[in-house]
Amino acid sequence: MREHREDLVVETPSGLYCPPGDFYIDPWRPVDRAVITHAHADHARAGHRHYLASARSVGVLRARLGDIEVQGVGWGERVVHRGVAVSLHPAGHVLGSAQVRIEHAGRVWVVSGDYRVEADPTCDAFEPVRCDCFVTESTFGLPIYRWQPQQAVFAQIDAWWRANAEAGRPSLLMAYSFGKAQRLLAGVEASIGPIVVHGAVEPINRAYRDAGIALPPTQTVAQVQDKAALRRALVIAPPSVQGSAWSRRFPEASDAFASGWMRLRGARRRRGVDRGFVLSDHADWPGLLEAIAATGAQRVIVTHGYEAVMVRWLQQQGLEAVAFRTEYGDEQFGAEGGAVEPQGDAAPEPVGAAGTGPQAEEE
């Protein structure tokens, strides 16, 4: 990409770097100073000497990375380092997820990390931040990605769980253990039956509860005393359990997967699950465009996702747009580390007619 002289954020082998401030944002190699947007494994990695993150994310960061040296700051609190003012603002992605506002020599840049513009009770709502240059993700940067209102999706999940419970079948719902699992817990109708979570989910639940997020009671399989109750249970676990010995503890279970990738025709079939629920913690196409417009930025840098499509569309709107190459990737579709659906310029085949909005896949 073509760089401007004295850009506030540039690409380096270690990650996105702010030259005047001498710090990195979500670096993928160990560095001295790292500003972290959120605690997903592709953005928050071990080995940095000093971490700066939102105070809301500190508990989850330590639950995932151990006893790190982390400075937690409140929303909008300014930290000045080497003459560069840094503040963090809500991104609406997961608990504590932040956009990084950088101000130096009269210029303002914002690095968004991952974000979602639709509010939910498990994290602080996305806050548009005015800037000269906006660095945006593009995980779902194609026009086919248009989410239903989340309450409609939760109604679908409740109906599936209720029908399974009445038939005496456990409901195994696979979703990423940090963020998506807690959003599901907060959104489902907890009175349908007991809720059981995988051991990877429960420590994150504790961090959410410690942060004041209301979640229904949960228990691990080992804590369940009445094994017969499992036949009415909603079981929330990461995608890595599929086909494992752990999942075989729930014989005759109906299984499902909750992800924005369920918007793609054939995604449920490739996952080999009974149901696919379209629920993402990332902005859809309209959300991305809304967020970009709200910044007022005339320059936009696009990261992980459908970069080429997004860059081309923004350029057609008269904006100066380019892409950064990063090592970020969506973690919802596979195991931790960012397994993603194949991406490129060609749009995958959507579920339903283009422009009509997504729905749980029914082929």
Side-chain angles (χ1 to χ4, degrees):
M1 60 159 282
R2 180 174 62 89
E3 292 184 1
H4 289 228
R5 186 178 181 183
E6 298 182 352
D7 278 353
L8 294 189
V9 178
V10 299
E11 300 172 271
T12 76
S14 295
L16 303 185
Y17 177 64
C18 175
D22 190 25
F23 60 81
Y24 292 81
I25 301 170
D26 293 349
W28 42 85
R29 295 181 185 174
V31 300
D32 186 57
R33 291 184 175 274
V35 179
I36 302 300
T37 63
H38 64 287
H40 275 151
D42 57 333
H43 290 258
R45 308 196 186 198
H48 308 315
R49 182 177 177 186
H50 178 79
Y51 295 74
L52 177 74
S54 74
R56 296 276 279 170
S57 69
V58 168
V60 180
L61 278 169
R62 286 194 165 130
R64 294 171 67 83
L65 300 180
D67 188 20
I68 58 174
E69 182 187 332
V70 55
Q71 177 184 356
V73 296
W75 297 129
E77 180 181 343
R78 287 166 59 92
V79 176
V80 179
H81 181 67
R82 290 174 52 117
V84 177
V86 177
S87 59
L88 303 181
H89 305 263
H93 176 56
V94 293
L95 178 63
S97 60
Q99 304 171 81
V100 182
R101 182 185 185 275
I102 304 169
E103 183 175 356
H104 180 258
R107 295 166 295 157
V108 175
W109 283 42
V110 171
V111 180
S112 65
D114 290 332
Y115 62 89
R116 184 178 75 252
V117 297
E118 183 184 22
D120 80 75
T122 63
C123 60
D124 297 284
F126 177 86
E127 174 189 309
V129 181
R130 303 287 291 185
C131 57
D132 303 306
C133 181
F134 185 53
V135 182
T136 179
E137 64 145 311
S138 60
T139 302
F140 293 104
L142 286 179
I144 65 167
Y145 291 113
R146 299 171 188 268
W147 310 144
Q148 285 182 300
Q150 58 190 328
Q151 289 309 316
V153 181
F154 287 129
Q156 296 167 6
I157 295 172
D158 288 342
W160 167 75
W161 177 18
R162 187 175 290 108
N164 290 334
E166 291 173 354
R169 303 177 66 191
S171 299
L172 174 58
L173 181 54
M174 289 174 282
Y176 188 58
S177 59
F178 167 39
K180 182 64 64 59
Q182 292 71 38
R183 188 175 170 202
L184 290 167
L185 288 169
V188 298
E189 177 49 67
S191 64
I192 296 173
I195 301 178
V196 177
V197 298
H198 187 270
V201 174
E202 190 58 24
I204 309 301
N205 290 348
R206 289 197 294 270
Y208 268 63
R209 292 183 177 112
D210 289 345
I213 305 300
L215 299 177
T218 56
Q219 53 189 325
T220 62
V221 179
Q223 294 171 326
V224 176
Q225 296 182 352
D226 180 9
K227 300 302 181 182
L230 290 176
R231 292 192 169 272
R232 294 187 58 85
L234 176 66
V235 183
I236 297 180
S240 58
V241 307
Q242 189 171 19
S244 68
W246 189 90
S247 67
R248 290 194 287 274
R249 300 181 186 188
F250 309 97
E252 302 179 4
S254 175
D255 57 2
F257 192 73
S259 170
W261 298 121
M262 293 294 104
R263 178 69 177 94
L264 297 180
R265 185 175 302 279
R268 185 187 70 191
R269 181 177 62 251
R270 289 193 296 275
R271 291 295 309 189
V273 293
D274 298 328
R275 290 293 302 271
F277 298 107
V278 183
L279 189 72
S280 178
D281 292 334
H282 294 261
D284 60 2
W285 176 258
L288 290 167
L289 302 188
E290 175 187 337
I292 292 169
T295 68
Q298 293 301 301
R299 187 178 178 202
V300 180
I301 299 174
V302 182
T303 66
H304 55 300
Y306 294 97
E307 300 101 324
V309 175
M310 178 64 75
V311 165
R312 185 164 58 248
W313 192 92
L314 293 171
Q315 289 174 343
Q316 291 170 351
Q317 311 313 304
L319 298 179
E320 181 183 354
V322 294
F324 272 160
R325 288 186 176 273
T326 68
E327 295 188 10
Y328 310 136
D330 181 65
E331 300 180 293
Q332 300 177 80
F333 198 75
E336 290 189 24
V340 300
E341 281 290 273
Q343 298 176 357
D345 290 353
E349 186 180 7
V351 177
T356 61
Q359 54 189 328
E361 183 178 338
E362 296 292 348
E363 296 187 52

